[in-house]
Amino acid sequence: MRLPQARLDQVLDRFHEVEARMGAATDGAEIVRLSKEHAELKPVADAVTVLARARQEMSDLEVMSEDPDMAEMAAEEMEALKERLPELEREVALLLAPRDADEKASAVLEVRAGTGGVEAALFAGDLFRMYSRYASSLGWRVEIDSATEGEAGGYKEIIATVTGEGVFGRLKFESGVHRVQRVPATEAGGRIHTSAATVAVLPEVEDVEIEIRDQDIRIDTYRSSGAGGQHVNKTDSAVRITHLPTGIVVTSSEKSQHVNRDKAMKNLRIRLYDMQRQAKDAARSDARKSQVGSGDRSERIRTYNFPQGRVTDHRIGLTLHSLPQILEGDLDPMLNALIAEDQAARLADLEAEFG
């Protein structure tokens, strides 16, 4: 892709403008805003500068090649540069391509058992363990917000906050229906059963500007169930908030009602923000049919087949015969393929923009 020089100049002009304004700004809020934009622009500006130098070097070598005494050396250097330029172009193009504003955010991870009863809850437990191990390998912190255990283990539902740099960007394509095919431990006849669990990954964004009017919510307090004995919550401290216009229900069941109210309101904002994201994703997918699905939570995205030891992602047609490793948290081969597919689609959008 040949990126227009005018577009590259535009990036550098904006970067230098932000740097100059940062040096002159005195208002705290403006300094914070400019610092954030500067941090976002710097990797792009650095890559654009490297590309511009390479292009200038190519131009200089073309002039040198006209000199008989320098032609041979210039030809060798031009050959090496011709191999390097496309990769530099691609790097800049990826940085310029439309991207998710929440790419670097932490995330709320929700795993819920679907069809399949006891086996579905066990599978939901397997998935949560898989994500927890992957998070641990990257140094991310996983904090369970709420969990309802299955009758024979696993989870009917588990919600956790995964905190770290770029969590949402790595995990956002995991949202959807995950299907498992295996012989349950309780199956005497050795028949393969199919069950499912639903995964949702929501960005945990700081300072989400979502207006929630008092008349649009109903707040209920109730006594949360505990493990028994001294652990039973003897006061009505758990909080349930219902957002009446959308029907979204959020709960929190820590020991402090004040803490629960704050956590539940935070979770409500995250879910309302995610609704807006899904609406935007749907609008974009109408215009770009090639994009990797990430918004439709009812979409069956992946099958884990235990008898054959394989995992298949249906969106990109990728099958990996490494199911045990994947369930142990080795998710990078799958996630990298999904991210690469999304990058290709975004580059195609950019190419269409530049004609």
Side-chain angles (χ1 to χ4, degrees):
M1 182 188 305
R2 180 70 182 180
L3 296 168
Q5 188 60 45
R7 181 72 176 91
L8 304 184
D9 292 340
Q10 185 182 36
V11 171
L12 291 177
D13 288 345
R14 179 58 185 169
F15 178 68
H16 294 141
E17 179 188 351
V18 169
E19 276 196 324
R21 290 175 63 183
M22 281 178 65
T26 55
D27 178 68
E30 185 183 9
I31 291 173
V32 169
R33 182 179 59 78
L34 289 171
S35 298
K36 183 179 179 182
E37 186 177 359
H38 183 271
E40 291 172 352
L41 283 173
K42 191 176 189 312
V44 192
D46 288 346
V48 167
T49 300
V50 171
L51 175 59
R53 286 173 182 163
R55 283 181 172 180
Q56 183 59 52
E57 186 180 350
M58 179 62 79
S59 179
D60 293 342
L61 288 170
E62 288 172 352
V63 173
M64 285 174 59
S65 67
E66 297 174 3
D67 183 339
D69 295 333
M70 306 289 288
E72 186 176 347
M73 183 182 71
E76 290 178 5
E77 293 187 18
M78 284 174 68
E79 196 61 34
L81 194 55
K82 280 179 182 176
E83 293 182 7
R84 184 167 161 245
L85 269 172
E87 186 54 40
L88 294 176
E89 291 264 6
R90 186 179 186 277
E91 182 182 343
V92 173
L94 279 173
L95 290 168
L96 289 177
R99 56 180 173 163
D100 200 319
D102 302 321
E103 201 81 12
K104 295 185 178 181
S106 296
V108 173
L109 171 68
E110 303 178 349
V111 184
R112 293 183 173 84
T115 55
V118 169
E119 176 64 13
L122 291 171
F123 179 49
D126 291 340
L127 288 178
F128 183 74
R129 178 176 174 272
M130 174 182 78
Y131 292 125
S132 296
R133 290 197 165 226
Y134 181 66
S136 177
S137 73
L138 294 178
W140 296 341
R141 188 174 77 252
V142 178
E143 180 182 357
I144 296 176
D145 296 326
S146 65
T148 304
E149 295 182 359
E151 297 170 8
Y155 298 100
K156 292 181 180 178
E157 175 186 277
I158 183 163
I159 301 172
T161 299
V162 186
T163 306
E165 177 76 13
V167 175
F168 184 72
R170 292 297 292 172
L171 296 183
K172 64 180 179 178
F173 297 122
E174 293 300 289
S175 292
V177 177
H178 296 239
R179 184 178 67 168
V180 63
Q181 296 171 327
R182 64 183 173 188
V183 179
T186 55
E187 173 55 62
R191 290 176 301 171
I192 297 173
H193 287 225
T194 298
S195 55
T198 301
V199 174
V201 181
L202 294 69
E204 188 189 43
V205 185
E206 298 295 330
D207 303 322
V208 177
E209 293 185 8
I210 299 288
E211 182 185 3
I212 301 176
R213 301 184 304 173
D214 290 343
Q215 59 264 42
D216 287 342
I217 59 174
R218 184 179 71 243
I219 301 177
D220 301 307
T221 57
Y222 60 99
R223 185 168 301 177
S224 63
S225 58
Q230 64 179 348
H231 299 293
V232 172
N233 190 340
K234 295 181 173 60
T235 62
D236 293 339
S237 64
V239 171
R240 179 191 300 113
I241 299 178
T242 304
H243 187 250
L244 302 175
T246 62
I248 292 174
V249 178
V250 293
T251 61
S252 183
S253 51
E254 302 288 340
K255 292 181 180 179
S256 163
Q257 187 177 123
H258 178 72
V259 169
N260 286 332
R261 182 185 173 107
D262 288 346
K263 288 185 72 171
M265 286 299 291
K266 177 184 175 183
N267 287 337
L268 178 57
R269 285 191 175 89
I270 288 173
R271 280 151 183 75
L272 289 172
Y273 177 75
D274 188 59
M275 281 187 68
Q276 292 182 0
R277 282 181 49 84
Q278 289 189 61
K280 291 178 183 177
D281 285 344
R284 279 199 298 265
S285 64
D286 285 342
R288 189 181 81 190
K289 297 302 180 185
S290 61
Q291 88 171 24
V292 177
S294 61
D296 187 357
R297 304 279 156 72
S298 64
E299 178 187 8
R300 189 191 73 184
I301 64 168
R302 196 173 297 153
T303 296
Y304 303 72
N305 184 295
F306 274 69
Q308 297 179 18
R310 63 174 169 82
V311 180
T312 298
D313 194 285
H314 304 291
R315 295 164 295 181
I316 57 176
L318 175 65
T319 295
L320 298 176
H321 294 274
S322 53
L323 186 146
Q325 294 92 326
I326 288 173
L327 288 178
E328 285 298 314
D330 185 14
L331 281 172
D332 276 338
M334 185 69 73
L335 298 182
N336 289 341
L338 287 162
I339 290 169
E341 184 77 12
D342 181 62
Q343 287 179 345
R346 291 194 289 118
L347 285 175
D349 280 355
L350 193 65
E351 196 164 11
E353 178 188 337
F354 291 150

